[in-house]
Every structure is written in C-alpha cells, then in structure tokens.
Amino acid sequence: MGKNLTIDYTKEYASLQILPTKPILSSYDAEWNSISLEYHQHYAHEAPEHYPEQHIIVVHHKNLIEVERQLDGHFHNEYVQKGDIVLSPANIPHKARWKRKAEFTLLIIEPCSAHCL
C-alpha cells in the first residue's frame, strides 16, 4: 500500500481497499452516471495513503470526532461534527485516522474531462 494505492470508486466495494468493512448503503446498483453515494460506520481506523480517482465529499453524521488527515502531504488535525463536510480532490494523495466510531456518507463525483467542456 502507499503511494501507488489508487482507488476507483466506480468499482463495487472499492472502499474496502482503505476501509475495514463494506458500506452499509450504496448507490452502486442504481447505476447512476458520474456520481454515487456510500454510507459507512466504522470504529477507530487508519486509512492508508491512497489516490482517489474521483472527487470525494465526506459528510459526517456523528457529534464531535477528531480526525487526523494528510492531504497532498499536508497534515491536518480536525474536529468534525454532524453536518460537517470534508473534501478530497481526485488524484491527490490522502490518508485519515480516527480513534472513535465514525459515521459518514461519501458523495463520489467523477472528475470532468474534455466531454464536459
């Protein structure tokens, strides 16, 4: 794992490469185009450094939890609470660690390519 771990969220259960269990809910079977959702609940965990191929918006559902994140080599110690969002741009190295139960939804958005212009 590490610098070469690329996550393609268009693949079913791709998040299992960095999270300990599959999502509780997923829009994978809905076959939406360019966007998907996953709902997760996980106890203390450290997600290894990875490169998501899609943009990720994380919506938190628990009251105050400390998350240690590293995004593009920059360390952030964050306190997030219910309703807070965190952004992880596509193709930027990211890793995270939390020490308590976390509940969150991943909104996964395909980056715009030449066809979007």
Side-chain angles (χ1 to χ4, degrees), residues 19 42-45 65-67 96-100 102 104:
L19 295 172
H42 299 289
Y43 288 95
H45 181 69
I65 182 172
E66 182 179 6
V67 179
R97 178 168 65 131
W98 55 94
K99 298 176 184 175
R100 297 181 0 172
F104 50 90

Side-chain angles (χ1 to χ4, degrees), residues 32-81:
W32 296 344
N33 290 323
S34 303
I35 192 166
S36 60
L37 290 169
E38 292 184 357
Y39 174 72
H40 292 267
Q41 290 181 352
H42 299 289
Y43 288 95
H45 181 69
E46 183 168 348
E49 183 176 82
H50 59 282
Y51 291 73
E53 290 186 9
Q54 293 77 20
H55 301 300
I56 311 295
I57 299 172
V58 183
V59 181
H60 290 274
H61 301 295
K62 289 287 282 183
N63 289 327
L64 201 59
I65 182 172
E66 182 179 6
V67 179
E68 297 172 8
R69 288 192 337 131
Q70 190 169 344
L71 184 64
D72 200 18
H74 301 283
F75 179 79
H76 303 275
N77 196 22
E78 304 168 338
Y79 290 90
V80 295
Q81 58 188 342

